[in-house]
């Protein structure tokens, strides 16, 4: 199919909303990464997201909303504590996992009885949701396993010919995906670290917020989504997105805790085209650029990408989570 390039004008966003209402797929900018949107209440439309991304069908979607009324349709009543977090942090880069209502099709939640909901801060994203008149299911708009797209060009690189349209918006400000907070247990727990840190959540809640245990350990095995489904039976973490190979450019990626220049010199002496990504502990810059840099280095034909480790604190923990996955947990001391 031909992938339409749409602008961020009201007229074009109206067109994008129509495509979503008709069951089609539209990639759109958010403040975190570009999303690949479909009508979250239309099971067939959501299924076509899995096909376009080459994504395993047990991996649930985040449902994007533009108003609190939409939340009531999707999820069971939330506690006052969670409401306070939403009031403080929405619209913004945080997703809440809640008990789902039956209106949400199983295919949208990967068969779980919970639904992940986010109200994005991006004006274009909010306008698209409103113009579609639907809650919009949207994973990141990349081929499964590849770095998330943070520019419209990155989306086209993966999705040209596979989806109905792309809204050609601006580059994503945050650059890594939203924090995913599980609100279905006794205490809220972070399933995926993101721009909103535990410290920020603790400030609003007045109590400690922990990372889900799986975030603190290396997974027993890192699966490639292109490998058959057979091995996925053995590893069942709470957030299904955690078990697959992720964020991988074509180049080999290694995290360097020590002297990256020395490692680079060694690799280059062996004739390997090598690049170093050193964000010098500037975490906002690292979040903003990391995925885009991986894709850019691929375009330049880089064979080895050495990424300088960040301190795993606050936002640094969220970015290192992406960096480690893109390197398949290959760390050089
Ligand atoms: O910033 C973002 O969150 C972006 C933009 C487009 O909003 N979206 C995004 O979606 O990153 P995706 O599909 O790439 O990642 C969704 C994550 C996965 O790790 C998935 O397993 C988890 O959220 N998730 C979704 N629904 C869940 C649920 N019901 N329970 C637990 N985890 C869930
Ligand atoms: Mg993703």
């Amino acid at each position: 199919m031909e992938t339409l390039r749409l602008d961020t004008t009201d007229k074009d966003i109206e067109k994008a909303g129509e495509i979503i209402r008709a069951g089609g797929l539209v990639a759109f900018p958010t403040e975190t990464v570009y999303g690949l949107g479909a009508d979250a209440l239309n099971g067939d439309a959501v299924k076509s997201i899995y096909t376009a991304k080459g994504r395993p069908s047990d991996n649930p979607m985040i449902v994007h909303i533009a108003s609190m009324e939409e939340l009531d349709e999707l999820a069971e009543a939330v506690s006052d504590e969670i409401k306070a977090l939403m009031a403080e942090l929405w619209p913004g880069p945080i997703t809440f996992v809640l008990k789902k209502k039956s209106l949400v099709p199983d295919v949208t939640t990967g068969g779980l009885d919970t639904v992940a909901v986010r109200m994005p801060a991006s004006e274009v994203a909010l306008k698209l949701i409103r113009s579609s008149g639907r809650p919009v299911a949207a994973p990141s708009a990349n081929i499964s396993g590849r770095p998330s797209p943070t520019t419209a060009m990155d989306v086209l690189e993966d999705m040209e010919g596979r989806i109905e349209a792309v809204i050609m918006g601006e580059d994503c400000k945050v650059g890594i995906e939203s924090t995913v907070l599980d609100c279905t247990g006794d205490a809220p727990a972070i399933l995926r670290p993101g721009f909103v840190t535990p410290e920020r959540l603790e400030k609003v809640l007045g109590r400690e917020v922990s990372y889900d245990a799986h975030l603190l350990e290396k997974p027993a095995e890192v699966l490639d989504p292109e490998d058959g489904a057979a091995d996925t039976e053995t590893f069942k973490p709470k957030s299904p997105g955690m078990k697959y190979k992720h964020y991988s450019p074509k180049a080999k990626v290694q995290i360097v805790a020590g002297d990256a220049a020395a490692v680079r010199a060694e690799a280059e002496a062996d004739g390997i085209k090598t690049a170093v990504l050193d964000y010098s502990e500037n975490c906002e810059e690292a979040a903003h650029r990391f995925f885009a840099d991986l894709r850019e280095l691929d375009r330049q034909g880089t064979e080895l990408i050495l990424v300088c480790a960040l301190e795993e604190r606050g936002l640094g923990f969220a970015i290192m989570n992406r960096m480690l996955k893109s390197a398949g947990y290959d760390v050089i001391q």
Side-chain angles (χ1 to χ4, degrees):
M1 76 178 75
E2 194 199 333
T3 300
L4 278 179
R5 287 156 169 75
L6 296 174
D7 211 339
T8 55
T9 56
D10 288 351
K11 184 167 155 272
D12 273 16
I13 291 178
E14 225 12 86
K15 170 87 192 145
E18 262 167 45
I19 294 172
I20 286 189
R21 270 199 304 284
L25 302 184
V26 177
F28 63 98
T30 81
E31 73 279 22
T32 57
V33 302
Y34 270 73
L36 180 54
D39 175 355
L41 305 181
N42 176 342
D44 288 335
V46 172
K47 258 187 223 148
S48 65
I49 295 182
Y50 291 122
T51 316
K53 276 184 68 88
R55 177 178 202 159
S57 61
D58 65 342
N59 205 350
M61 306 281 161
I62 293 174
V63 180
H64 297 71
I65 58 172
S67 73
M68 292 309 276
E69 289 73 52
E70 282 175 290
L71 178 68
D72 294 338
E73 287 179 16
L74 304 170
E76 297 294 346
V78 297
S79 67
D80 288 345
E81 199 180 34
I82 300 306
K83 270 191 207 139
L85 278 179
M86 289 171 174
E88 182 74 19
L89 299 168
W90 268 0
I94 181 162
T95 297
F96 295 88
V97 174
L98 306 164
K99 284 273 170 229
K100 89 171 184 84
K101 282 190 175 164
S102 57
L103 183 69
V104 186
D106 279 343
V107 56
T108 302
T109 61
L112 299 172
D113 59 3
T114 54
V115 60
V117 187
R118 175 160 109 84
M119 191 188 292
S122 152
E123 237 357 275
V124 173
L126 290 170
K127 276 188 185 168
L128 171 67
I129 298 163
R130 284 189 207 111
S131 101
S132 74
R134 304 281 198 279
V136 173
S140 47
N142 53 284
I143 300 277
S144 200
R146 304 247 312 127
S148 299
T150 56
T151 73
M153 289 316 290
D154 291 350
V155 173
L156 284 168
E157 188 174 72
D158 281 17
M159 290 297 156
E160 178 96 69
R162 292 173 165 253
I163 61 176
E164 276 75 9
V166 180
I167 299 180
M168 307 291 290
E170 59 183 17
D171 296 356
C172 303
K173 292 208 166 61
V174 172
I176 59 169
E177 306 87 342
S178 62
T179 303
V180 176
L181 189 71
D182 180 16
C183 304
T184 61
D186 292 335
I190 294 176
L191 299 181
R192 180 175 71 183
F195 193 73
V196 178
T197 59
E199 295 76 20
R200 180 88 179 83
L201 296 170
E202 283 164 4
K203 234 186 228 161
V204 183
L205 293 180
R207 66 159 156 154
E208 206 181 314
V209 176
S210 59
Y211 288 116
D212 192 71
H214 77 260
L215 284 176
L216 304 172
E217 57 196 47
K218 177 184 165 196
E221 50 179 335
V222 183
L223 302 170
D224 190 320
E226 283 155 23
D227 294 344
D231 354 25
T232 66
E233 294 305 310
T234 52
F235 182 58
K236 283 206 186 311
K238 201 157 192 183
S239 185
M242 300 302 302
K243 70 185 173 188
Y244 297 105
K245 186 177 138 198
H246 238 116
Y247 310 129
S248 307
K250 294 183 199 99
K252 179 183 167 76
V253 181
Q254 289 183 309
I255 308 299
V256 185
D259 182 1
V263 182
R264 175 191 200 150
E266 218 173 284
E268 282 179 342
D270 290 339
I272 300 168
K273 191 172 177 195
T274 307
V276 174
L277 292 178
D278 181 359
Y279 302 108
S280 307
E281 296 296 336
N282 182 342
C283 288
E284 301 209 352
E285 180 74 2
H288 179 65
R289 284 185 29 202
F290 180 58
F291 289 141
D293 284 347
L294 291 181
R295 284 176 178 266
E296 179 52 33
L297 290 171
D298 262 354
R299 285 180 206 119
Q300 294 172 14
T302 307
E303 294 165 293
L304 175 63
I305 302 173
L306 301 171
V307 184
C308 296
L310 295 172
E311 201 185 329
E312 292 184 73
R313 228 167 16 95
L315 182 55
F317 182 81
I319 303 156
M320 274 294 279
N321 167 272
R322 293 359 183 241
M323 290 176 166
L324 284 164
K325 284 191 200 173
S326 73
Y329 295 86
D330 185 353
V331 182
I332 304 174
Q333 290 305 326

